[in-house]
Amino acid sequence: MKREKIRLEYLLNATSKNILWSAISTPTGLEDWFADKVVSNDKIVEFHWGKTEQRDAEIIAIRAYSFIRFRWLDDENERDYFEIKMNYNELTGDFVLEIVDFAEPDEVDDMKELWESQVNKLRRTCGF
């Protein structure tokens, strides 16, 4: 079954591009909102949730202060990825966090809820 591409946008009242970039691109930043533990070994990143769940991802593209794109190593389709992108809106002075991910058609709503929950946690921990 072909997975659907999901594109989500979240307005953040972020005041610092450095804080936001750190939150989406460093192990310490990702541990604050995305996973319980994050270990980076060059381009391979281990994400840990709880005591037993772990998934490894490869950083397949990155542009400082713009976006980071990961591919889960256990994904069957090598074209699937998830991307976290930050865009600055000069009119409002806010950042827009754009998430691109893939999900099975019957899991799209669950995936959207998961990202909503994670981004809300990002807002709380970083004060956005």
Side-chain angles (χ1 to χ4, degrees):
M1 189 181 304
K2 186 166 171 41
R3 291 164 48 113
E4 292 183 23
K5 188 175 191 176
I6 304 166
R7 187 178 306 271
L8 307 166
E9 289 188 356
Y10 301 94
L11 183 65
L12 301 177
N13 296 320
T15 54
S16 167
K17 73 176 186 177
N18 292 331
I19 292 171
L20 181 54
W21 179 247
S22 177
I24 67 173
S25 67
T26 67
T28 304
L30 289 164
E31 284 177 355
D32 286 340
W33 67 280
F34 186 74
D36 296 330
K37 182 178 174 189
V38 180
V39 179
S40 178
N41 183 0
D42 196 25
K43 292 212 175 276
I44 304 299
V45 183
E46 295 176 9
F47 294 95
H48 300 262
W49 295 272
K51 295 184 187 290
T52 58
E53 188 175 352
Q54 174 186 337
R55 286 189 81 188
D56 296 339
E58 177 184 12
I59 299 172
I60 56 174
I62 187 169
R63 183 179 307 142
Y65 300 101
S66 181
F67 73 94
I68 186 164
R69 183 180 292 178
F70 298 92
R71 185 183 69 77
W72 294 116
L73 296 180
D74 59 0
D75 262 355
E76 292 176 16
N77 187 344
E78 291 192 10
R79 295 183 148 206
D80 289 357
Y81 60 90
F82 73 98
E83 179 178 87
I84 307 169
K85 179 186 261 185
M86 55 187 270
N87 295 310
Y88 183 70
N89 183 326
E90 292 194 20
L91 289 175
T92 64
D94 295 322
F95 283 93
V96 174
L97 193 68
E98 186 179 324
I99 308 288
V100 176
D101 204 349
F102 291 81
E104 298 293 338
D106 61 342
E107 296 176 354
V108 168
D109 289 339
D110 291 341
M111 184 68 75
K112 288 179 179 178
E113 283 181 30
L114 178 62
W115 278 112
E116 182 79 27
S117 170
Q118 297 302 99
V119 171
N120 284 337
K121 190 173 179 184
L122 170 67
R123 284 186 172 118
R124 285 192 309 275
T125 58
C126 293
F128 298 149

